[in-house]
Amino acid sequence: MTVTAASLETHHAVRRGVWMDKAFKWLTGFFAVLVLASVLGVLVALWHGAEPALHRFGLGFLVSSEWNPVTEEFGALVAIVGTLVTSAIALLLALPLSFGIALFITELAPVWLKRPVGTAIELLAAVPSIIYGMWGLFVLAPLLADHVQPWMNDQLGELAVIGPLFQGPPMGVGMLTAGIILAIMVLPFITAVMRDVFELVPAVLRESAFGVGATTWEVVWNVVLPYAKSGVIGGIMLGLGRALGETMAVTFVIGNAHHLHASLLMPGSTISSVLANEFTEAVGTLYTSSLLALGLILFLITFIVLALARLLLMRLERGEGKSH
Amino acid sequence: MLRKSMAGAWAGIVLAATSVSAIAAVAEISGAGATFPYPVYAKWAESYAKNTGIHVNYQSIGSGGGIKQINAKTVDFGASDAPLKAKDLDAHGLLQFPTVMGGVVPVVNLPGIKAGELKLSGEALANIYLGQIKRWNDPAIAKLNPGVELPSKAITVVHRADGSGTTWIFTNYLSKVSPTWASKVGNEKAVSWPAGVGGKGNEGVASYANRIKGAIGYVEYAYALQNKMTYVLLENKAGKFVAPTSEAFQAAAANADWAQAPGFYMVLTDQPGDDSWPITGATFILVYKKQDHPETGAAVLKFFAWAYANGDSMAQKLDYVPMPDSVVKLVEQTWANEIKDAQGKPVWQAD
């Protein structure tokens, strides 16, 4: 058999192709590993930095509400509670709103309105967080202080169980304000994801439900939502992730105090607001290290939230398999 | 580039009245630290570069960062709002000297009360910040303000949320006038506040104080002045009520006994004198006593000597208070006596 020039060329081309494929695989694999490595690197660096504080305070760091740079006594409880409470308020407010907006856009809005509303929501996501912070401090806080919080004091403050949540001087800044700002910030993320997954529901499912005489609400509740639930949960987790880590906007409106209060109207602090406030001027190993330990805790909280979301999704998918 | 820097160095020699013998071509010196004096350092640096061609690169990364950087020798000078204690200076072989002063001013937001109308004593201020005086019509405040109609509004205390030299000076004053404050809270750049809300930076405190009715906060003098905030009159050590003015800060500095302060560890709070504003503080520069690069060390000192001689009006325009001449003399004397090169030769010669 003689090797012609043409077939030699093909041979080369094939070999080059194989080699390119391999190189491509390695290159992209390297990128992927890079992500894993940097996550691990951050974790190791945080752990290393947090060591002196964790060594000194032990697990007590998690449950101590002390934060005293003078005596160098530090505890993370106030910041952890602040982080969780503000994020919870944010989700509580943003969830029904996002659900409603996404529903309206996909199911109910006239065609000419879908675009502008959808774009407006996406624009909200593009607003820098410091703008939300300034708006919160200069517009929302005085509004709450003058009109909403006095009403809360009078009407809700007297109630039996939830009363203590709404007592305290109407300052306008505090945990509640931070939660409201966060709600506005996570709203576009949750809404956008919900809208996208609602739109993925096959038209034939919807139409057949309408065909058997279901109302819009019944279609949404019994057809659209079950079909889209894993996507919806993904959207919620995306929003929660953002709320947990948000820094600038929260720092503006939360009031930055290291005290635990029952009331949502009182000032508090979150992990990221403490870091933003105090890192530049923290002198001494223990102070700096305690701040890094806070960072490590935030990292772990975010990790746990994401893991729980995965778990929930997996259980949902198993459930789906059974029902069919 | 080289020619330009040489020209700059020559211009420096010609212009500087207090010229040093060994001037090499140091075209750039760098410093880092306190944020409070940044505007005036930047102004001085700009004007100095125009006059001498020598560039001063100052990064306002915070006092804590400034101290870390000078300890790591990554900058030629550090800057701190709070003075370092003599033993900390000795441990690192550092020398510190004050450059400009400022004051801390309590401001209030009380409907019907104008700037300079409300009088407070140090003890009352401490008790407010301790959360013990809760309402504006408390007898302790009313006693100091006969004839002023005080509302029964709740007091909202506003403090700094970030660590800052302003807080250091403020808590230093409260610790001096209130034993309870000294034992319960103490004196630091960030403390465990017994009450209130925290704002980030002077502007954070100011905006909380402006928004919340019945609030009291504390800000830098320059900040209070530029934003026309409602300042209070404070009772000083001599028992007189004084307003925060540039003269009142200088009075506090002039009445202080600098010569007896080792390492210029001088906090100007609660100083004697009828006109002294009680919460005054200076900001400080840190340099090494033993200079590995004497030319650079000399260039740093030359810059500050130039600023002492020519920078007063620039400082005043930015609402800082220049150091009194007597203190400047003392500082330059200390440079001559204590800053040496590797061979022990003085880097600086006083005139």
Side-chain angles (χ1 to χ4, degrees):
Chain A
M1 222 204 286
T2 54
V3 182
T4 64
S7 79
L8 195 65
E9 216 157 81
T10 329
H11 182 69
H12 277 305
V14 168
R15 271 189 47 189
R16 201 166 50 234
V18 169
W19 186 84
M20 285 279 279
D21 265 2
K22 260 198 186 141
F24 191 66
K25 186 180 158 196
W26 278 106
L27 193 67
T28 47
F30 171 71
F31 292 159
V33 171
L34 209 60
V35 174
L36 274 179
S38 37
V39 170
L40 217 68
V42 169
L43 196 63
V44 169
L46 279 176
W47 180 264
H48 180 75
E51 244 244 276
L54 296 178
H55 187 75
R56 169 84 173 68
F57 304 115
L59 279 178
F61 188 71
L62 291 174
V63 290
S64 161
S65 62
E66 191 74 18
W67 190 269
N68 192 336
V70 183
T71 57
E72 300 213 304
E73 289 292 324
F74 299 103
L77 187 65
V78 176
I80 294 176
V81 169
T83 306
L84 295 178
V85 168
T86 48
S87 297
I89 297 174
L91 274 195
L92 217 63
L93 295 175
L95 204 55
L97 274 173
S98 307
F99 184 64
I101 296 169
L103 256 184
F104 179 77
I105 296 176
T106 49
E107 309 288 332
L108 302 167
V111 178
W112 61 267
L113 198 58
K114 280 188 183 185
R115 244 297 139 116
V117 175
T119 314
I121 296 286
E122 274 155 24
L123 270 180
L124 269 187
V127 175
S129 61
I130 191 140
I131 304 288
Y132 281 109
M134 288 163 78
W135 178 81
L137 184 59
F138 293 118
V139 182
L140 183 67
L143 210 73
L144 289 175
D146 293 341
H147 302 292
V148 182
Q149 293 183 347
W151 176 86
M152 282 179 166
N153 279 172
D154 297 342
Q155 305 295 323
L156 304 173
E158 309 293 319
L159 296 178
V161 183
I162 59 162
L165 288 178
F166 300 103
Q167 286 163 0
M171 290 183 288
V173 295
M175 307 268 261
L176 181 69
T177 316
I180 294 174
I181 289 287
L182 282 178
I184 301 172
M185 294 178 73
V186 301
L187 182 88
F189 289 89
I190 305 180
T191 308
V193 174
M194 279 193 184
R195 185 195 58 184
D196 289 350
V197 292
F198 286 174
E199 267 170 1
L200 285 179
V201 177
V204 64
L205 282 184
R206 264 199 208 101
E207 279 157 16
S208 32
F210 278 122
V212 296
T215 61
T216 311
W217 176 252
E218 284 166 338
V219 171
V220 168
W221 198 249
N222 298 319
V223 177
V224 175
L225 209 54
Y227 191 88
K229 65 188 164 196
S230 53
V232 169
I233 288 172
I236 294 169
M237 289 304 149
L238 194 69
L240 184 57
R242 171 142 209 223
L244 285 172
E246 176 48 43
T247 308
M248 247 11 254
V250 173
T251 308
F252 266 71
V253 295
I254 196 163
N256 306 304
H258 287 287
H259 294 284
L260 274 185
H261 289 289
S263 172
L264 297 178
L265 307 189
M266 292 299 278
S269 55
T270 69
I271 292 176
S272 36
S273 77
V274 172
L275 288 176
N277 276 324
E278 302 188 14
F279 211 84
T280 38
E281 288 285 338
V283 229
T285 325
L286 213 53
Y287 195 177
T288 321
S289 159
S290 298
L291 288 169
L292 285 169
L294 278 185
L296 182 69
I297 292 171
L298 182 60
F299 195 99
L300 294 179
I301 291 178
T302 320
F303 183 78
I304 292 170
V305 164
L306 284 177
L308 281 180
R310 283 262 126 212
L311 216 68
L312 197 64
L313 282 181
M314 268 155 62
R315 291 189 62 175
L316 275 180
E317 274 156 21
R318 265 215 306 274
E320 265 164 20
K322 266 181 217 148
S323 64
H324 285 301
Chain B
M1 187 60 206
L2 185 68
R3 189 166 297 165
K4 201 173 158 196
S5 65
M6 285 298 287
W10 282 113
I13 290 172
V14 174
L15 269 165
T18 51
S19 130
V20 190
S21 53
I23 282 264
V26 175
E28 193 176 302
I29 50 180
S30 65
T35 46
F36 157 66
Y38 172 70
V40 68
Y41 289 174
K43 183 75 204 161
W44 284 347
E46 182 205 332
S47 180
Y48 192 62
K50 226 179 270 166
N51 284 320
T52 64
I54 298 171
H55 291 274
V56 180
N57 176 14
Y58 181 74
Q59 296 167 10
S60 59
I61 55 172
S63 304
I67 295 168
K68 275 177 205 150
Q69 298 244 325
I70 187 75
N71 283 341
K73 298 199 179 186
T74 48
V75 288
D76 303 323
F77 65 92
S80 173
D81 280 338
L84 269 67
K85 293 233 166 62
K87 72 170 166 50
D88 295 329
L89 291 171
D90 291 344
H92 290 103
L94 289 167
L95 179 123
Q96 81 184 345
F97 56 89
T99 49
V100 286
M101 295 180 291
V104 178
V105 178
V107 292
V108 295
N109 176 358
L110 270 177
I113 301 281
K114 287 191 282 292
E117 221 176 338
L118 190 76
K119 292 176 184 163
L120 288 177
S121 64
E123 197 193 352
L125 189 63
N127 286 338
I128 289 173
Y129 268 83
L130 280 167
Q132 287 168 357
I133 297 179
K134 291 183 179 349
R135 296 208 165 260
W136 281 109
N137 60 355
D138 191 285
I141 303 177
K143 198 179 69 194
L144 298 166
N145 293 282
V148 179
E149 205 167 310
L150 293 162
S152 81
K153 252 190 164 359
I155 301 178
T156 301
V157 167
V158 186
H159 52 76
R160 287 284 287 266
D162 47 337
S164 97
T166 313
T167 298
W168 194 91
I169 294 169
F170 187 69
T171 54
N172 179 278
Y173 170 65
L174 294 184
S175 297
K176 277 186 184 169
V177 294
S178 158
T180 322
W181 184 275
S183 64
K184 262 186 153 174
V185 185
N187 175 202
E188 213 20 275
K189 280 190 284 192
V191 298
S192 175
W193 296 97
V197 297
K200 186 168 164 57
N202 280 309
E203 58 284 359
V205 171
S207 54
Y208 277 175
N210 284 339
R211 302 284 135 199
I212 303 170
K213 299 249 177 354
I216 182 167
Y218 63 92
V219 293
E220 286 295 346
Y221 165 66
Y223 200 84
L225 198 69
Q226 283 152 15
N227 293 284
K228 300 189 174 55
M229 302 189 71
T230 313
Y231 60 83
V232 304
L233 303 184
L234 272 183
E235 188 182 27
N236 63 18
K237 205 171 188 176
K240 299 276 192 298
F241 286 98
V242 284
T245 57
S246 182
E247 293 75 35
F249 302 142
Q250 281 215 310
N255 288 322
D257 192 1
W258 290 91
Q260 297 301 316
F264 288 104
Y265 183 87
M266 175 55 84
V267 188
L268 297 171
T269 54
D270 205 28
Q271 291 298 322
D274 280 0
D275 307 319
S276 300
W277 176 255
I279 328 179
T280 306
T283 183
F284 296 83
I285 293 295
L286 300 163
V287 290
Y288 277 100
K289 280 186 184 169
K290 204 187 106 199
Q291 291 286 340
D292 300 337
H293 305 286
E295 321 79 51
T296 317
V300 170
L301 299 182
K302 256 171 71 67
F303 168 64
F304 285 106
W306 177 90
Y308 281 140
N310 306 301
D312 286 2
S313 65
M314 284 178 257
Q316 277 161 335
K317 240 179 237 156
L318 293 165
D319 298 316
Y320 294 89
V321 182
M323 299 306 296
D325 288 341
S326 56
V327 179
V328 171
K329 235 192 166 78
L330 219 55
V331 167
E332 294 186 345
Q333 195 61 49
T334 313
W335 292 351
N337 294 342
E338 299 203 16
I339 301 181
K340 312 262 168 72
D341 65 8
Q343 280 78 43
K345 216 173 102 221
V347 166
W348 176 264
Q349 277 152 9
D351 42 17

